[in-house]
């Protein structure tokens, strides 16, 4: 087989070399040889025999507005394809790339039409945006079709336009700072993949990154934090940097939407100017992750003056008609205790602190509107009443977006479930992003038109540098690009993945350290009377799996199901390799045997959160315990509700005396130990006897991450079914910065001995 593939490749290469060396336009490149694998997929593509020779082509256009795009195209061709294109004053006999403005309503504001026919490549569009997208298609085709030192564009006809008008990537430059060059690289990549919005997250609890002339301490103080190890971390963008980046993006028809967070996520600004908070106390720029309670005081007029001054400078820098003001995760505890905030509630006849947040946002919106800009905010801006005309960016699922649409507003969808690129591949892999569709089924046709599009959100708490950033964003952003641009009817993941594979050589050339498409393998655990069986299944076909058992040094090639003694603790480390190079993270499993291993659980309460599934329905009885990393995929999360479930042991047993469960606490992320856990038992699943109850004696204020085991002991008794009830504390307590928000329970696992 190997030989046949190689000889096939040699014949193919020779064929291409012969075709190009003869270098006449009579040569026929058949469509089956050419690569048309555009991402995002074009709305319409027809292919024909023959090709346009890209080398030595001339670009001809008459409208001077096109100059920046053409210059960019020529520079790209030089740098990435080693081809020197010339600008022609008039059409020559051969190899013309001709750009012509037209007026074709069918193509809309961003569409383009590309016709390639032997000696002529015609690109037409109604707008600069359309030309930018058309040129991106040409760049991709040129990078995908080279042979024998020549570059060709296969003869074709493309008619193409986007499904959604807002196609964005959020980059959090506050948690970690990314240089001007990294930002420009991402603008290039957005443009190549026909995304059109760079959502620039510039201010946070952990940093203020945009220089503001009137308030120099915002960057002198707010751009720097003292890390836990005592080192200083930071950086900021000067006005000049921002002007340079905005101009760069503008030339490529990318809109930069700046985000200035308010009223929450504002600790860095308050560290610089303490009068902005309710208490006026000096605080530091945050050096930990989470949600922080010191936010802008809503009762102090100097806060609004400050924000209007800041926004005036922001507006002067960014031509975007949209300004993002955050609005998410603003704890209300300071407002509850602040006489000025309470006075404001009274004076403005507001109901409560949520109303006060709404007042705050509306006041900022009035200012933005007066300056001819529109406000975008996270879905929390719905709480206390949504301002007319405000655009909601839905992140806590799609519900906020739906509510905004029903309210008559517009929405952008970026739900945590599909669009959060800070999540690992176990939760959101390439296929999951590809399965995203920004219009929920609940909306009718008219309502759906108010969904502007979507974004992927790249939060960077755990993304310290460009290398790590690339591996998180790619290839998953390619899926988002297609979801937001292409028609949804022909979606086929296998076909998309095949196109993605063609693009790895492009990403390599652009120095993108792309990550994996998915976790390389998954495991399944089964039990029999005296054995535990672990099967490892490949999710990527061309990998090999090796494993080591129980701490031994020997590395085995994984061939078939691994079997262990039913009563012994066992460990497995598995690694996926391609050409002897490790792919993705290794898998490290420690199996703790107990009597409920692999037994079924039925949920009576709402089931676990789709974000924290512990691998699904068997996650609480798989013998693999959650670690101190709560995103490790082993924890099951319940948000704002109790857990109640029935565990079926498959037989009546009389040898059980201990039932315990592990819980997690990390109150920065609103994860608390449950208030109690109780167990009832039954022989038939209908008649229940109380078996025991456990409470915990841990202070919910205890900071840091830790695991706590709740344990119930009981004299042996006969039963088959266990009903386990775990009580959530329900709301984040009063003293907490996020007081009043829904609390999480994290559990793994239920252990029966
Ligand atoms: C968000 O993820 N807090 C918008
Ligand atoms: Zn206040």
């Amino acid at each position: 087989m190997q030989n046949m593939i190689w000889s096939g490749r040699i014949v193919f290469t020779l064929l291409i070399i012969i075709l190009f060396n003869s270098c006449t336009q009579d040569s026929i490149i058949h469509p089956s040889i050419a690569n048309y694998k555009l991402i995002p997929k074009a709305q319409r593509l027809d292919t024909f025999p023959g090709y346009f020779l890209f080398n030595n082509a001339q670009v001809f256009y008459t409208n001077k507005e096109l100059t920046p795009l053409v210059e960019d195209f020529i520079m790209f061709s030089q740098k990435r394809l080693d081809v020197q294109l010339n600008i022609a004053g008039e059409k020559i006999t051969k190899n013309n790339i001709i750009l012509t403005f037209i007026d074709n309503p069918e193509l809309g504001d961003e569409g383009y039409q590309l016709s390639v026919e032997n000696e002529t490549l015609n690109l037409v569009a109604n707008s600069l945006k359309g030309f930018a997208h058309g040129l991106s298609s040409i760049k991709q085709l040129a990078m995908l079709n080279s042979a024998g030192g020549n570059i060709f564009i296969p003869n074709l006809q493309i008619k193409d336009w986007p499904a959604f008008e807002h196609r964005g990537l959020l980059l959090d430059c506050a948690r970690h700072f990314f240089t001007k060059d990294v930002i420009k690289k991402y603008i290039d990549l957005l443009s190549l993949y026909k995304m059109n919005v760079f959502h620039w997250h510039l201010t946070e609890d952990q940093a203020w990154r945009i220089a503001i002339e009137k308030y120099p301490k915002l960057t002198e103080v707010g751009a720097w934090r003292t890390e836990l190890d005592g080192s200083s971390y930071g950086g900021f963008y000067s006005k000049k940097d921002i002007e340079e980046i905005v101009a760069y993006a503008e030339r490529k028809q990318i809109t930069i939407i700046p985000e200035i967070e308010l009223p929450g996520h504002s600790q860095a600004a308050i560290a610089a100017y303490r009068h902005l908070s309710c208490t006026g106390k000096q605080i530091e720029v945050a050096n930990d992750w989470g949600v922080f309670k010191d936010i802008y005081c809503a009762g102090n007029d100097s806060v609004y003056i400050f924000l209007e001054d800041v926004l005036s400078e922001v507006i002067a820098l960014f031509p975007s008609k949209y300004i993002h003001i955050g609005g998410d995760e603003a704890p209300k505890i300071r407002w509850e205790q602040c006489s000025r905030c309470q006075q404001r509630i009274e004076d403005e006849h507001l109901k409560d602190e949520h109303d006060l947040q709404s007042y705050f946002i509306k006041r900022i919106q009035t200012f933005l509107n007066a300056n001819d800009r529109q406000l975008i905010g996270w879905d929390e801006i719905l709480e206390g009443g949504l301002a007319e005309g405000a655009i909601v960016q839905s992140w806590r699922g799609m519900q906020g977006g739906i509510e905004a649409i029903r309210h008559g507003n517009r929405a952008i969808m970026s739900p945590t479930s599909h669009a959060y690129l800070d999540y690992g591949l176990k939760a959101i892999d390439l296929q999951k992003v590809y399965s995203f569709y920004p219009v929920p089924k609940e909306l009718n046709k008219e309502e759906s038109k108010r969904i502007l599009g979507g974004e992927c959100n790249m939060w960077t708490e755990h993304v310290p540098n460009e290398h790590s950033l690339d591996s998180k964003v790619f290839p998953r952003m390619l899926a988002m690009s297609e979801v937001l641009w292409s028609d949804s009817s022909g979606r086929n993941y296998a076909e998309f993945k095949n196109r993605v594979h063609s693009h790895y050589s492009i990403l390599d050339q652009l120095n993108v350290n792309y990550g994996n498409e998915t976790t390389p393998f998954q495991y399944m655990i089964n039990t029999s009377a005296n054995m535990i069986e672990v099967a490892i299944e490949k999710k990527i076909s061309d990998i090999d799996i090796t494993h080591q058992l129980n701490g031994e040094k020997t590395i085995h090639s994984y061939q078939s199901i691994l079997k262990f003694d039913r009563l012994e603790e066992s460990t497995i480390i598995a690694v996926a390799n391609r050409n002897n190079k490790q792919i993705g993270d290794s898998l490290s499993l420690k199996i703790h045997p107990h009597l409920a291993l692999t037994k079924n659980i039925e949920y009576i309460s709402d089931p676990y959160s789709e974000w924290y599934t512990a691998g699904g329905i068997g996650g609480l009885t798989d013998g693999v315990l959650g670690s101190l990393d709560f995103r490790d995929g082993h924890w099951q999360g319940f948000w704002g509700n109790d857990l109640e479930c029935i565990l079926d042991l498959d037989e009546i047993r009389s040898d059980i005396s201990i039932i315990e469960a592990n819980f997690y606490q990390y109150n920065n992320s609103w994860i608390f130990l449950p208030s109690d856990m109780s167990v009832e038992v039954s022989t038939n699943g209908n008649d229940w006897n109380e078996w025991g109850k456990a409470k915990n004696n841990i202070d919910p204020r205890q900071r840091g991450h830790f695991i706590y085991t709740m344990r119930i002991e009981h004299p042996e008794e006969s039963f088959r079914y266990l009903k386990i009830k775990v009580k959530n504390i329900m709301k984040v307590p009063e003293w907490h910065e996020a007081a009043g928000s829904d609390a999480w329970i994290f559990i793994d696992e239920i252990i029966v001995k």
Side-chain angles (χ1 to χ4, degrees), residues 696-713:
N696 76 73
N697 53 6
I698 302 292
D699 187 346
R701 289 168 206 252
Q702 194 171 318
R703 292 284 175 178
H705 315 75
F706 59 92
I707 296 167
Y708 182 85
T709 305
M710 288 174 96
R711 177 184 174 111
I712 306 173
E713 290 189 48

Side-chain angles (χ1 to χ4, degrees), residues 163-183:
F164 294 95
E165 68 177 76
H166 186 111
R167 307 178 303 280
L169 169 74
L170 172 148
L171 181 59
D172 170 7
C173 292
R175 269 56 172 267
H176 280 102
F177 179 72
F178 295 93
T179 63
K180 222 164 44 176
D181 286 341
V182 175
I183 309 287

